[in-house]
Amino acid sequence: MNDNSFDVDAVLLAYSDTVYKIALARTGNRNDADDIFQEVFLRLVKHINKISSEEHMKSWLIRVTINCCKNHFRSWRNNTVSLSDLNAELTVDFTPEESGIYQAVLRLPAKYRDVVHLFYYEELPIKEISEILKRKESTVKSQLSRGREKLKSILEEDIADENKNR
């Protein structure tokens, strides 16, 4: 779409899941994710004429979602969520196994959580993640590698705890 004529409803249908899951991953709370979702699409309505292509649209939405999450925490919340609240919030379109893995992803430090989420759940290439997060490709690659290792450790701990409690 080179003529900048995007249908907001079509964009909402195409990218609502992506925006919501990123917001939920970064906030860990459905209410905050709902607020951020709404803010992102309000900004889209204001800036839709500045978006030049479908690829630009997706990148723009992801970047704005991440920025809105950062602003949200800066403005009036502290960045803590109890694990019981987090577990209760994460039942969004995942099988129980996927939900457990996603909860482990959410326990990663933010710099790893972002790249793991964008790479595996949004299926973005490293180059695009680099552009969205404004990090070097080599940094994204190393954060992805370290994130996988940390995720593996978290999952192994969870399995060990589960086996211990049997």
Side-chain angles (χ1 to χ4, degrees):
M1 296 185 176
N2 295 329
D3 61 359
N4 291 352
S5 60
F6 290 99
D7 176 20
V8 177
D9 290 333
V11 172
L12 183 63
L13 281 173
Y15 296 107
S16 61
D17 195 43
T18 297
V19 169
Y20 186 76
K21 284 182 179 176
I22 291 170
L24 183 60
R26 292 191 62 99
T27 64
N29 180 291
R30 282 183 187 263
N31 293 327
D32 292 342
D34 289 341
D35 291 345
I36 289 164
F37 178 89
Q38 186 175 21
E39 177 66 22
V40 168
F41 283 101
L42 285 172
R43 288 184 185 193
L44 174 65
V45 170
K46 287 183 191 175
H47 300 284
I48 199 161
N49 293 331
K50 297 176 184 174
I51 298 172
S52 59
S53 67
E54 193 69 33
E55 295 79 28
H56 183 210
M57 174 68 72
K58 185 173 185 176
S59 296
W60 186 91
L61 287 168
I62 291 170
R63 180 81 247 153
V64 170
T65 303
I66 290 169
N67 287 340
C68 285
C69 290
K70 287 178 182 177
N71 292 342
H72 179 75
F73 284 118
R74 252 187 248 135
S75 67
W76 59 277
R77 288 226 192 241
N78 69 23
N79 197 0
T80 59
V81 176
S82 76
L83 282 178
S84 60
D85 289 347
L86 188 61
N87 289 337
E89 295 294 333
L90 290 174
T91 57
V92 183
D93 297 332
F94 292 121
T95 65
E97 181 181 272
E98 291 170 330
S99 181
I101 293 170
Y102 197 69
Q103 288 177 23
V105 169
L106 292 176
R107 290 170 27 208
L108 291 170
K111 65 182 177 181
Y112 303 127
R113 182 180 58 231
D114 290 343
V115 296
V116 168
H117 176 88
L118 292 173
F119 188 78
Y120 288 105
Y121 291 92
E122 302 305 326
E123 300 177 350
L124 295 178
I126 288 173
K127 181 177 179 166
E128 195 169 339
I129 294 169
S130 164
E131 292 167 1
I132 290 168
L133 297 178
K134 296 184 171 122
R135 298 176 189 161
K136 293 180 183 176
E137 283 185 49
S138 59
T139 302
V140 171
K141 287 177 186 177
S142 65
Q143 288 174 338
L144 188 57
S145 177
R146 289 182 187 131
R148 285 186 198 117
E149 287 300 314
K150 289 187 179 293
L151 185 58
K152 180 180 175 185
S153 296
I154 290 169
L155 293 170
E156 286 172 348
E157 277 180 31
D158 289 351
I159 290 169
D161 288 345
E162 192 175 297
N163 288 337
K164 191 190 313 185
N165 291 332
R166 283 186 182 179

